[in-house]
Amino acid sequence: MLLIKNGKIYTMADQIMEGADILVKDGKIQKIEKNIQTCEDVQVIDASGKYVFPGFIDAHTHMGLWEDGMGFEGADGNEETDPITPHMRAIDGINPMDRTFSEALQGGITCVGTGPGSANVMGGQYIAIKTHGDRIDEMVIKDPVGFKIAFGENPKSVYGRDDRTPQTRMAIAALLRETLRKADDYMEEMKEYMEDEEAEKPEFDIKLESMMPLMEKKVPLKAHAHRTDDIFTAIRIAKEFGLKLTLDHCTEGHLIADHLSKEGYPALVGPSLGERSKIELKNLDFKTAGVLSQAGVKVSIITDHPVVPIQYLPLCTALAVKAGMDKYKALKAITINPAEVLGVSDRVGSLEEGKDADIVIWDGFPLEIQSRPVCTIVDGKVVYSE
């Protein structure tokens, strides 16, 4: 058992508690209140004068798929041989021994969504994992959590340079529609086979088979889209097929905030800390997250690690606040919002009884640049401490 005493607790379930305690048992939060007393043998951590938060969450990274300090040897995030690869699974490419997992824990980030990059129209399956562990199978919270799709410059540049399709935004949309229609038909044929003894079983197709969680609306399309036109194309196609959708990057989202507010899809905003390295980033601005949040869009802030190293997620969030985002909404953008977007809020994203004991104790308010985690706890175990 573990008892955290006398901290200023931000539960991120709309409660801030001064001088309160958290009791942890069997990896779960058992109790949150003031002056917890226990007769059992318990490890006590004094959090007096410190801030206690749920572990931060980044809903869009490539953790473990592009390994730190390597070239092609550790680059496992883009299968650039086919623009349609929905059957690629992040779990098969992640190396949890990569040093950036330790840096995540030192930065207070205990959970990430990670998966394929944006070279392909359909890149594969995203996964939600803890950032502590040495075997990926034991770090999984949920698999899959979404199917990566990409619009704009990235797939155009990868395949256009070799005179292959897609070379245009029209072709990207057409390939995506074709694949979704095939998957829809495959699902109907499989359903008919399961319900009718005389029906013929569809020929196995690993790509279409892998897409069943998507077509059954259990997980969303995870759309890489920077420009307004690409954002609207992602929405158009999701509506055509009645699918869930997240708008990842959403770089020009602040230009169309009124439209996005009406549409109701979550926005995963970032990486905002970096250069405008391509044309579709010309309107990159830290104000995007705040503008969208103010308009009523559910916002998560992302690093797109390794584009921005994962440990700088709090810094990116602080810069969004500096650019006008409400401070508490910004905290939600790296805690409960990404947990909900990834479909794992029953376990992580807030400090509540029964949830995983993923807890970070900070020596100061985490959105102040000089503040740092002094203790990171995952599943009730101290995995980093100063």
Side-chain angles (χ1 to χ4, degrees), residues 79 81-88 120-125 159 207:
E79 181 58 43
T81 58
D82 181 349
I84 303 294
T85 57
H87 53 312
M88 299 292 110
N120 294 341
V121 176
M122 291 199 78
Q125 302 169 40
Y159 292 95
K207 292 184 179 182

Side-chain angles (χ1 to χ4, degrees), residues 185-202:
D185 291 344
Y186 185 85
M187 184 175 68
E188 288 302 314
E189 291 171 7
M190 187 62 73
K191 182 178 179 181
E192 183 180 352
Y193 167 73
M194 297 297 290
E195 295 176 352
D196 185 349
E197 294 181 357
E198 297 183 1
E200 185 176 349
K201 185 176 183 179

Side-chain angles (χ1 to χ4, degrees), residues 2 11 26 37 45 55 83 105 140 146 149 187 191 251 259 272 274 302 309 312 314 347 360:
L2 178 67
T11 68
D26 298 328
Q37 303 296 321
I45 298 176
L105 295 171
V140 176
I149 59 175
M187 184 175 68
K191 182 178 179 181
T251 301
H259 292 287
S272 303
I302 64 172
Y312 298 127
R347 291 184 57 185
V360 181

Side-chain angles (χ1 to χ4, degrees), residues 123-143:
Q125 302 169 40
Y126 251 68
I127 187 173
I129 61 172
K130 300 287 181 82
T131 54
H132 172 69
D134 57 9
R135 181 176 180 177
I136 190 61
D137 309 78
E138 297 173 355
M139 299 161 66
V140 176
I141 306 175
K142 184 179 178 182
D143 182 21

Side-chain angles (χ1 to χ4, degrees), residues 7 27 42 98 207 263-264 269 310 346 357 362 382:
V42 60
D98 184 65
K207 292 184 179 182
E263 295 294 349
V269 178
I310 187 69
D346 60 324
W362 291 76
V382 175

Side-chain angles (χ1 to χ4, degrees), residues 56-58 60-61 63 68 99-110 112 269-274 286 301-321 330 333-334 362 366-373:
F56 289 165
I57 302 171
D58 190 331
H60 181 116
T61 76
M63 284 281 292
D68 187 66
R99 66 180 290 178
T100 58
F101 283 87
S102 294
E103 292 173 341
L105 295 171
Q106 294 168 22
I109 295 91
T110 59
V112 296
V269 178
S272 303
L273 182 61
F286 269 107
I301 293 173
I302 64 172
T303 62
D304 201 19
H305 174 93
V307 179
V308 175
I310 187 69
Q311 65 268 31
Y312 298 127
L313 178 63
L315 173 61
C316 294
T317 308
L319 290 169
V321 172
I334 53 175
W362 291 76
L367 300 188
E368 294 176 357
I369 192 168
Q370 71 272 23
S371 298
R372 63 187 188 276

